[in-house]
Amino acid sequence: MTAKLTAVRAGALTTVQDAGRRGYAHLGVPRSGALDAPAMRLANRLLGNDPGAAVLETTLTGCAVRPDRDVTVVVGGAHCPVTVDGRPAPWGAPVRVPAGAVLDVGAVTAGVRAYVAVAGGIAVEPVLGSRSTDLLSGL
């Protein structure tokens, strides 16, 4: 069964991103996708996910989420502090987050965008073959 993540702190700009939409530019649909695709792919690989699986992309201020089931996550991309229920957790390595605990991805200390990959990916309904958020087009 899939875990549900509840946003405790959304941060300045946290969106769902994956490898993006390809093949729709002629219709005016942008590719979208993770802005640091290599960082997204690495975080996914560390969990055994498909490299293009959907992740949370945070900008500058991070985010905090609470799973309703035990999950394993990797926070990668921009360097930032990571805690689970207030206890320090490693950045760039798999971390177990127990059901009901708060995973807090802090403000970046180097870089701009951090990625929160969850084992199994982020399951939102795909639009035109992608789960990526595009704020300009509303996808």
Side-chain angles (χ1 to χ4, degrees), residues 2-3 16 54 120-126 131:
T2 305
V16 174
I122 302 289
V124 297
E125 195 64 35
R131 291 179 166 87

Side-chain angles (χ1 to χ4, degrees), residues 117-138:
V118 179
I122 302 289
V124 297
E125 195 64 35
V127 176
L128 298 176
S130 173
R131 291 179 166 87
S132 287
T133 302
D134 185 320
L135 298 174
L136 292 176
S137 68

Side-chain angles (χ1 to χ4, degrees), residues 63-101:
C63 67
V65 296
R66 177 183 291 120
D68 67 343
R69 302 188 188 301
D70 292 0
V71 295
T72 302
V73 303
V74 168
V75 177
H79 289 265
C80 57
V82 179
T83 62
V84 175
D85 271 352
R87 291 182 295 279
W91 172 93
V95 174
R96 183 180 166 277
V97 181

Side-chain angles (χ1 to χ4, degrees), residues 3-98:
K4 179 176 97 176
L5 299 178
T6 300
V8 174
R9 181 175 59 80
L13 181 63
T14 301
T15 59
V16 174
Q17 298 295 337
D18 62 13
R21 293 172 187 84
R22 298 185 191 276
Y24 294 99
H26 68 287
L27 299 173
V29 178
R31 185 177 82 71
S32 304
L35 287 173
D36 186 349
M40 176 198 68
R41 288 191 300 266
L42 177 59
N44 274 320
R45 283 187 185 122
L46 288 169
L47 290 170
N49 290 347
D50 179 277
V55 299
L56 296 178
E57 179 182 77
T58 72
T59 305
L60 295 174
T61 61
C63 67
V65 296
R66 177 183 291 120
D68 67 343
R69 302 188 188 301
D70 292 0
V71 295
T72 302
V73 303
V74 168
V75 177
H79 289 265
C80 57
V82 179
T83 62
V84 175
D85 271 352
R87 291 182 295 279
W91 172 93
V95 174
R96 183 180 166 277
V97 181

Side-chain angles (χ1 to χ4, degrees), residues 99-119:
V102 174
L103 169 71
D104 193 290
V105 178
V108 301
T109 57
V112 175
R113 289 184 174 77
Y115 294 89
V116 181
V118 179

